[in-house]
Amino acid sequence: MNARLDHRNPLVFDTHELGRRPGALQRLTRTVDAPRDLGIQGVVGVPEGTPVELELRLESVMEGVLVTGTARARAEGECVRCLEPLQLDVEADFQELFSYPDADDRGRVIAEPGDDAEDDEDRFHLEDGLFDLEPVLRDAVVLALPMQPVCQEDCPGLCSACGERLADDPDHHHDAVDIRWAALQGLAGTMSDGEKDEMSGDATRSARVDEKQEK
């Protein structure tokens, strides 16, 4: 198989030092720039180019190379309650088997792996001793990130009436208005003092007439 992976890519790793000796181990640490769209798009993620610290353990097994590792980075997003920008540290653990292209599930060499019509498309393979960690890293980071990030656990969010950020003003409130009187209050706000006095006088006269009729 001709290698399609570029060994200069910081997320591509070389396993030739392990050989194909089951039990051989290799430990690696590497800091790489985060690839594009690493996270939950539109919610929270690791910005492209942000340093990602990798700690890897490569173990040669019968079927291929078992890769176990941890990725650490700083993610950015927006609080789902108050919509303020936020940052959070993300730590993602992962483990994945990169199979030899000429070995089946029991590690036995097969002549032409491409003839197996039921070959699992989700399986990762080594290519000329190289493997690309990016898809594994991407899956691990997405699972480690919160689906609904908040700036703090007790974030009160925004005022439903005016949109004010409640954390900035803990005493923020609005006086409750009875909707039955809301229209009259709006009308009173647009009337001049003379009109208010006239309406008040009319109401008084009406009350006196009602009182006389009752008598």
Side-chain angles (χ1 to χ4, degrees):
M1 179 182 293
N2 294 325
R4 298 189 300 271
L5 298 179
D6 185 354
H7 68 278
R8 295 169 298 183
N9 184 332
L11 285 172
V12 171
F13 293 82
D14 191 334
T15 68
H16 284 100
E17 289 187 15
L18 292 174
R20 294 184 67 159
R21 306 183 304 276
L25 292 174
Q26 185 179 10
R27 296 183 184 275
L28 299 171
T29 59
R30 184 180 295 184
T31 300
V32 302
D33 291 339
R36 185 178 181 182
D37 298 329
L38 183 59
I40 306 171
Q41 192 170 8
V43 180
V44 62
V46 180
E48 183 178 3
T50 298
V52 179
E53 297 178 1
L54 299 174
E55 293 183 4
L56 303 179
R57 178 178 183 270
L58 281 54
E59 180 181 3
S60 179
V61 296
M62 290 293 294
E63 300 89 346
V65 175
L66 182 66
V67 179
T68 305
T70 301
R72 298 180 181 87
R74 174 64 61 90
E76 297 180 1
E78 186 179 82
C79 178
V80 296
R81 297 179 187 171
C82 68
L83 308 182
E84 286 293 308
L86 59 81
Q87 292 185 336
L88 57 90
D89 293 324
V90 58
E91 181 173 310
D93 297 322
F94 52 86
Q95 185 175 74
E96 189 62 55
L97 174 66
F98 289 85
S99 301
Y100 296 125
D102 59 350
D104 65 8
D105 291 336
R106 291 179 292 278
R108 297 180 303 185
V109 175
I110 55 179
E112 297 181 4
D115 290 344
D116 187 357
E118 298 182 357
D119 189 39
D120 187 0
E121 295 181 356
D122 294 332
R123 182 181 301 173
F124 294 98
H125 290 88
L126 293 169
E127 297 183 12
D128 193 25
L130 304 176
F131 69 86
D132 185 2
L133 190 65
E134 181 173 340
V136 177
L137 175 65
R138 210 174 274 283
D139 290 345
V141 169
V142 168
L143 290 175
L145 290 170
M147 294 296 294
Q148 294 187 318
V150 292
C151 58
Q152 54 188 32
E153 290 299 327
D154 58 348
C155 175
L158 302 176
C159 174
S160 59
C162 67
E164 182 75 16
R165 187 169 181 263
L166 298 178
D168 295 334
D169 183 7
D171 297 326
H172 179 84
H173 71 281
H174 294 272
D175 294 331
V177 177
D178 191 327
I179 59 174
R180 294 172 297 179
W181 297 101
L184 292 178
Q185 288 181 346
L187 178 61
T190 61
M191 293 173 57
S192 64
D193 293 339
E195 290 174 327
K196 292 179 181 179
D197 293 340
E198 183 178 348
M199 178 173 286
S200 177
D202 291 342
T204 301
R205 288 192 294 271
S206 177
R208 290 174 179 172
V209 170
D210 292 341
E211 184 180 355
K212 289 180 179 179
Q213 289 177 348
E214 291 176 359
K215 290 180 179 179

Tab-separated table of all heavy atoms in Angstrom, residues 191-213:
chain	number	residue	atom	x	y	z
A	191	MET	N	-52.030	61.701	28.488
A	191	MET	CA	-52.995	62.783	28.696
A	191	MET	C	-52.325	63.977	29.353
A	191	MET	O	-51.392	63.843	30.140
A	191	MET	CB	-54.149	62.282	29.585
A	191	MET	CG	-55.016	61.220	28.923
A	191	MET	SD	-56.214	60.535	30.074
A	191	MET	CE	-57.076	62.025	30.568
A	192	SER	N	-52.852	65.173	29.060
A	192	SER	CA	-52.367	66.391	29.714
A	192	SER	C	-53.010	66.500	31.085
A	192	SER	O	-53.978	65.805	31.397
A	192	SER	CB	-52.727	67.616	28.871
A	192	SER	OG	-54.143	67.761	28.801
A	193	ASP	N	-52.478	67.401	31.918
A	193	ASP	CA	-53.022	67.573	33.259
A	193	ASP	C	-54.475	68.001	33.213
A	193	ASP	O	-55.296	67.571	34.022
A	193	ASP	CB	-52.190	68.606	34.037
A	193	ASP	CG	-50.785	68.096	34.319
A	193	ASP	OD1	-50.591	66.861	34.282
A	193	ASP	OD2	-49.897	68.930	34.576
A	194	GLY	N	-54.835	68.895	32.268
A	194	GLY	CA	-56.217	69.368	32.173
A	194	GLY	C	-57.169	68.241	31.853
A	194	GLY	O	-58.258	68.143	32.412
A	195	GLU	N	-56.746	67.355	30.941
A	195	GLU	CA	-57.604	66.234	30.565
A	195	GLU	C	-57.784	65.281	31.736
A	195	GLU	O	-58.859	64.717	31.936
A	195	GLU	CB	-56.988	65.504	29.381
A	195	GLU	CG	-57.037	66.315	28.079
A	195	GLU	CD	-56.284	65.624	26.958
A	195	GLU	OE1	-55.288	64.952	27.278
A	195	GLU	OE2	-56.683	65.745	25.800
A	196	LYS	N	-56.695	65.097	32.528
A	196	LYS	CA	-56.801	64.235	33.697
A	196	LYS	C	-57.783	64.804	34.705
A	196	LYS	O	-58.599	64.088	35.286
A	196	LYS	CB	-55.430	64.053	34.350
A	196	LYS	CG	-54.450	63.261	33.496
A	196	LYS	CD	-53.102	63.143	34.191
A	196	LYS	CE	-52.106	62.378	33.339
A	196	LYS	NZ	-50.793	62.289	33.992
A	197	ASP	N	-57.704	66.158	34.942
A	197	ASP	CA	-58.626	66.790	35.890
A	197	ASP	C	-60.057	66.668	35.406
A	197	ASP	O	-60.974	66.434	36.189
A	197	ASP	CB	-58.255	68.272	36.064
A	197	ASP	CG	-56.902	68.430	36.766
A	197	ASP	OD1	-56.462	67.458	37.429
A	197	ASP	OD2	-56.299	69.516	36.641
A	198	GLU	N	-60.280	66.858	34.099
A	198	GLU	CA	-61.623	66.775	33.551
A	198	GLU	C	-62.189	65.375	33.704
A	198	GLU	O	-63.342	65.185	34.080
A	198	GLU	CB	-61.593	67.169	32.069
A	198	GLU	CG	-62.977	67.176	31.431
A	198	GLU	CD	-62.915	67.619	29.974
A	198	GLU	OE1	-61.851	68.125	29.539
A	198	GLU	OE2	-63.923	67.447	29.273
A	199	MET	N	-61.333	64.366	33.427
A	199	MET	CA	-61.788	62.988	33.569
A	199	MET	C	-62.099	62.673	35.016
A	199	MET	O	-63.066	61.980	35.331
A	199	MET	CB	-60.717	62.018	33.028
A	199	MET	CG	-61.101	60.546	33.193
A	199	MET	SD	-59.931	59.447	32.390
A	199	MET	CE	-60.377	59.721	30.678
A	200	SER	N	-61.273	63.218	35.930
A	200	SER	CA	-61.506	62.995	37.347
A	200	SER	C	-62.826	63.609	37.769
A	200	SER	O	-63.592	63.026	38.528
A	200	SER	CB	-60.349	63.574	38.161
A	200	SER	OG	-60.593	63.432	39.547
A	201	GLY	N	-63.118	64.838	37.240
A	201	GLY	CA	-64.385	65.490	37.579
A	201	GLY	C	-65.563	64.724	37.044
A	201	GLY	O	-66.589	64.570	37.702
A	202	ASP	N	-65.443	64.219	35.816
A	202	ASP	CA	-66.522	63.419	35.229
A	202	ASP	C	-66.779	62.169	36.056
A	202	ASP	O	-67.930	61.765	36.262
A	202	ASP	CB	-66.154	63.012	33.799
A	202	ASP	CG	-66.148	64.227	32.853
A	202	ASP	OD1	-66.751	65.245	33.227
A	202	ASP	OD2	-65.545	64.114	31.760
A	203	ALA	N	-65.706	61.543	36.521
A	203	ALA	CA	-65.868	60.334	37.320
A	203	ALA	C	-66.573	60.645	38.628
A	203	ALA	O	-67.399	59.869	39.111
A	203	ALA	CB	-64.489	59.695	37.585
A	204	THR	N	-66.253	61.821	39.231
A	204	THR	CA	-66.881	62.212	40.490
A	204	THR	C	-68.370	62.468	40.292
A	204	THR	O	-69.205	62.032	41.093
A	204	THR	CB	-66.203	63.467	41.055
A	204	THR	OG1	-64.808	63.184	41.252
A	204	THR	CG2	-66.825	63.857	42.372
A	205	ARG	N	-68.722	63.214	39.217
A	205	ARG	CA	-70.135	63.494	38.940
A	205	ARG	C	-70.903	62.209	38.673
A	205	ARG	O	-72.042	62.037	39.122
A	205	ARG	CB	-70.245	64.432	37.741
A	205	ARG	CG	-69.814	65.874	38.066
A	205	ARG	CD	-70.223	66.819	36.950
A	205	ARG	NE	-69.495	66.528	35.726
A	205	ARG	CZ	-68.306	67.075	35.425
A	205	ARG	NH1	-67.730	67.918	36.276
A	205	ARG	NH2	-67.702	66.766	34.305
A	206	SER	N	-70.272	61.304	37.949
A	206	SER	CA	-70.937	60.037	37.645
A	206	SER	C	-71.209	59.257	38.921
A	206	SER	O	-72.271	58.659	39.090
A	206	SER	CB	-70.063	59.203	36.698
A	206	SER	OG	-70.648	57.948	36.446
A	207	ALA	N	-70.275	59.316	39.850
A	207	ALA	CA	-70.444	58.593	41.112
A	207	ALA	C	-71.598	59.195	41.910
A	207	ALA	O	-72.369	58.472	42.541
A	207	ALA	CB	-69.146	58.642	41.919
A	208	ARG	N	-71.739	60.561	41.886
A	208	ARG	CA	-72.829	61.201	42.624
A	208	ARG	C	-74.169	60.839	42.025
A	208	ARG	O	-75.140	60.604	42.744
A	208	ARG	CB	-72.624	62.714	42.604
A	208	ARG	CG	-71.430	63.186	43.444
A	208	ARG	CD	-71.197	64.661	43.263
A	208	ARG	NE	-70.070	65.123	44.079
A	208	ARG	CZ	-69.548	66.348	43.989
A	208	ARG	NH1	-70.051	67.219	43.115
A	208	ARG	NH2	-68.516	66.668	44.761
A	209	VAL	N	-74.264	60.807	40.711
A	209	VAL	CA	-75.524	60.445	40.055
A	209	VAL	C	-75.911	59.030	40.429
A	209	VAL	O	-77.070	58.740	40.739
A	209	VAL	CB	-75.374	60.582	38.520
A	209	VAL	CG1	-76.594	59.978	37.829
A	209	VAL	CG2	-75.218	62.040	38.131
A	210	ASP	N	-74.929	58.130	40.405
A	210	ASP	CA	-75.212	56.731	40.759
A	210	ASP	C	-75.700	56.661	42.201
A	210	ASP	O	-76.609	55.867	42.524
A	210	ASP	CB	-73.956	55.884	40.599
A	210	ASP	CG	-73.563	55.759	39.141
A	210	ASP	OD1	-74.425	55.996	38.271
A	210	ASP	OD2	-72.382	55.416	38.856
A	211	GLU	N	-75.116	57.478	43.069
A	211	GLU	CA	-75.514	57.450	44.470
A	211	GLU	C	-76.937	57.925	44.634
A	211	GLU	O	-77.709	57.355	45.392
A	211	GLU	CB	-74.536	58.323	45.272
A	211	GLU	CG	-74.809	58.282	46.780
A	211	GLU	CD	-73.825	59.148	47.563
A	211	GLU	OE1	-72.880	59.695	46.917
A	211	GLU	OE2	-74.011	59.266	48.771
A	212	LYS	N	-77.351	58.990	43.887
A	212	LYS	CA	-78.715	59.513	43.991
A	212	LYS	C	-79.705	58.485	43.472
A	212	LYS	O	-80.776	58.301	44.007
A	212	LYS	CB	-78.828	60.797	43.192
A	212	LYS	CG	-78.066	61.972	43.840
A	212	LYS	CD	-78.230	63.214	42.985
A	212	LYS	CE	-77.497	64.403	43.621
A	212	LYS	NZ	-77.616	65.625	42.795
A	213	GLN	N	-79.329	57.808	42.372
A	213	GLN	CA	-80.247	56.811	41.804
A	213	GLN	C	-80.480	55.658	42.779
A	213	GLN	O	-81.579	55.120	42.874
A	213	GLN	CB	-79.662	56.293	40.503
A	213	GLN	CG	-79.712	57.328	39.368
A	213	GLN	CD	-79.069	56.814	38.098
A	213	GLN	OE1	-78.399	55.798	38.117
A	213	GLN	NE2	-79.290	57.522	36.998
